[in-house]
Amino acid sequence: MVALKDNFPRFIPEEYFALEEQQLERHEYIDGEVYAMSGGTQNHSDIAGNFLTLVKSHIRGGGCKTFNSDLRIKIIEVLSPITEAYDRGNKFKLYRKNPSLRDYALVDSSKMAIDLYRKDESGNWYIGSDSG
């Protein structure tokens, strides 16, 4: 990730969403700062699309909705070699501050592996893995 500008002011979420609607490139909002996101690979896009379809068909009729990454709401994160350490570390640390987040799934785009982080009723996070 690359900062949008070195001396860019800090944003509140509403300002970020307004700015993002006017951008051609995708950006990520982290603690008031905006970062440019690089494009994904075909493999990354294929995996993300497959998960969207799988989850959408699973929850159909249950009152929940699924969205792709353009909406900026994620539970399933398809990892890339460049952002994997950040997604597992600082990004997840920020996500854990969200009281409504209960699950966080990390899908490896280079091998068949998924890590699922789940929060229990006490607010403790646990990890389970499924590797093929």
Side-chain angles (χ1 to χ4, degrees):
M1 285 183 289
V2 177
L4 191 59
K5 277 190 176 177
D6 289 338
N7 59 355
F8 226 7
R10 296 179 72 78
F11 291 92
I12 61 172
E14 293 79 12
E15 292 170 327
Y16 159 72
F17 288 120
L19 174 73
E20 193 65 5
E21 286 181 8
Q22 301 170 13
Q23 302 301 310
L24 295 176
E25 300 85 16
R26 292 183 57 224
H27 298 86
E28 185 169 18
Y29 175 83
I30 303 169
D31 197 26
E33 296 183 20
V34 177
Y35 298 87
M37 299 295 291
S38 63
T41 64
Q42 273 189 321
N43 195 36
H44 184 280
S45 181
D46 191 35
I47 291 168
N50 288 341
F51 266 95
L52 180 66
T53 301
L54 178 70
V55 171
K56 188 175 201 116
S57 65
H58 181 70
I59 66 170
R60 182 168 284 136
C64 294
K65 292 186 172 245
T66 56
F67 302 97
N68 67 17
S69 61
D70 292 341
L71 192 56
R72 309 296 190 267
I73 298 173
K74 295 182 181 172
I75 293 174
I76 297 172
E77 189 79 50
V78 179
L79 301 173
S80 70
I82 295 172
T83 63
E84 180 175 3
Y86 169 70
D87 292 337
R88 290 183 182 281
N90 286 339
K91 181 186 260 187
F92 185 38
K93 182 179 179 181
L94 291 170
Y95 280 6
R96 288 192 305 259
K97 293 179 181 179
N98 181 341
S100 64
L101 183 66
R102 307 289 303 164
D103 299 292
Y104 183 50
L106 298 172
V107 181
D108 197 311
S109 64
S110 61
K111 63 183 178 208
M112 292 180 58
I114 299 172
D115 291 335
L116 175 62
Y117 294 85
R118 179 159 278 162
K119 184 167 57 172
D120 67 14
E121 295 301 319
S122 300
N124 298 312
W125 286 89
Y126 296 92
I127 183 173
S129 292
D130 184 14
S131 300

